[in-house]
Amino acid sequence: MALEILRDPRLADVEWRDLCALRPLEVCYEVAIYLPWLLVSLGFAQLGFVHHGAWFVPALASSFMFFLCGLRQVHNAFHYAVGVSPRAHEWLMFILSPLMMSAMHAVQWNHLRHHRHCMDDEDVEAMSARMKGWKALLTGPQFPLRLHHAALTMARPKIRRWIYLELAAMAAVWGLAFFVFDQPWLRYHCIAMTVGQCFSAFFAVWTVHHDCDRSHYIARTLRNGFKSFVSYNMFYHVEHHLFPAVPTCHLPALSRRLDKVAPELCSKIVW
């Protein structure tokens, strides 16, 4: 039976509502979480263009961390779990769209659909999870295209308006980078984020859903403290599917509570 784990009576014993609230300092952290990595990546890229190509190594590493932190913020925004107003969540998604080179309202539409149809044939987001890892990497460039096509085809008019606005913002940034401003670091960022989107099917989907089923073991999780720290807690994924309203920063606490009532769910490990 599809998604039977969501109807498991043991989940009723998990206290989770107290984890949804964010303190003011936590809200500030969640809103600004990607800014240091963005600035550092652009700074290293500029050094690479001006001084020595070796600076592109830390630039790419920092861009990866910016992409990870951007995913964390926008993922929380998809579920209105950043601790700001509902309208502010919409604008957080809009701002991250040109910064990460993807219309985030299109990604949100697919992501919420992914929660309702996890791993079934209607789940566009999980298309790569049903493949071998190497194939998920190779088909990565198709992934953002399919997300945008599905949302523009099936989403409500209000969502489509946000998507078109975000696509226009992305086009404007590309135009500024390649035809207006002679700033190599801006062109670097546009290219790096576009390439990153082509790998998101593997890193953001396959890693947390491969070899899972549609009923009980619907997602993977992580229990290594160091790996959770360096990945900004982004891989507590079964916890997220079971209690999507809980912000990412509180997922480690949720995992400890979940382990007490359903310990078998932590057997599907991300790494």
Side-chain angles (χ1 to χ4, degrees):
M1 184 165 52
L3 297 178
E4 59 86 8
I5 186 60
L6 298 183
R7 297 179 289 275
D8 192 315
R10 294 176 298 171
L11 298 184
D13 296 328
V14 179
E15 294 289 340
W16 61 273
R17 290 177 178 81
D18 62 309
L19 298 175
C20 294
L22 291 172
R23 298 187 296 273
L25 285 178
E26 289 177 320
V27 174
C28 293
Y29 176 76
E30 294 297 332
V31 170
I33 188 169
Y34 62 79
L35 285 176
W37 290 114
L38 175 62
L39 296 175
V40 168
S41 68
L42 297 180
F44 280 136
Q46 181 67 9
L47 289 173
F49 284 111
V50 173
H51 295 291
H52 195 280
W55 286 107
F56 285 113
V57 175
L60 288 170
S62 300
S63 292
F64 177 85
M65 294 306 297
F66 161 72
F67 199 91
L68 175 68
C69 291
L71 281 178
R72 169 167 162 156
Q73 183 185 111
V74 80
H75 188 235
N76 281 322
F78 292 163
H79 297 277
Y80 302 91
V82 183
V84 295
S85 69
R87 188 67 173 175
H89 282 92
E90 309 293 350
W91 285 107
L92 288 177
M93 286 185 269
F94 172 79
I95 291 169
L96 275 166
S97 294
L99 287 179
M100 296 182 68
M101 287 300 149
S102 184
M104 290 304 169
H105 277 83
V107 183
Q108 181 199 34
W109 184 87
N110 283 278
H111 183 68
L112 298 181
R113 186 179 177 85
H114 166 64
H115 275 263
R116 296 192 300 270
H117 302 280
C118 187
M119 302 292 288
D120 68 19
D121 294 337
E122 298 180 67
D123 186 0
V124 178
E125 181 177 303
M127 55 173 275
S128 63
R130 299 184 287 268
M131 305 174 180
K132 297 293 185 181
W134 63 268
K135 192 171 183 179
L137 281 169
L138 290 179
T139 60
Q142 299 178 23
F143 181 66
L145 298 177
R146 290 191 181 186
L147 293 182
H148 287 74
H149 178 265
L152 287 171
T153 302
M154 295 182 281
R156 302 191 315 272
K158 178 181 177 181
I159 300 299
R160 292 202 302 270
R161 286 194 292 270
W162 274 110
I163 296 171
Y164 285 126
L165 187 62
E166 289 161 352
L167 290 172
M170 292 161 54
V173 171
W174 271 92
L176 291 173
F178 288 90
F179 302 106
V180 178
F181 296 140
D182 185 21
Q183 297 295 336
W185 56 265
L186 184 56
R187 294 194 289 271
Y188 157 84
H189 180 74
C190 291
I191 294 171
M193 291 301 103
T194 301
V195 173
Q197 291 296 337
C198 294
F199 284 99
S200 60
F202 178 83
F203 287 106
V205 182
W206 186 88
T207 55
V208 291
H209 283 293
H210 71 90
D211 298 314
C212 292
D213 57 49
R214 302 180 183 184
S215 58
H216 193 79
Y217 295 99
I218 60 175
R220 294 175 173 269
T221 188
L222 196 59
R223 289 296 181 271
N224 182 286
F226 175 75
K227 292 177 180 178
S228 297
F229 175 76
V230 299
S231 61
Y232 283 81
N233 295 333
M234 281 294 291
F235 292 117
Y236 289 97
H237 206 62
V238 69
E239 291 81 1
H240 169 68
H241 268 270
L242 298 179
F243 303 96
V246 176
T248 303
C249 61
H250 293 166
L251 290 180
L254 177 63
S255 70
R256 293 188 289 271
R257 300 179 187 184
L258 183 63
D259 286 349
K260 293 179 180 178
V261 301
E264 79 281 2
L265 293 178
C266 70
S267 63
K268 289 280 188 179
I269 298 297
V270 174
W271 296 330

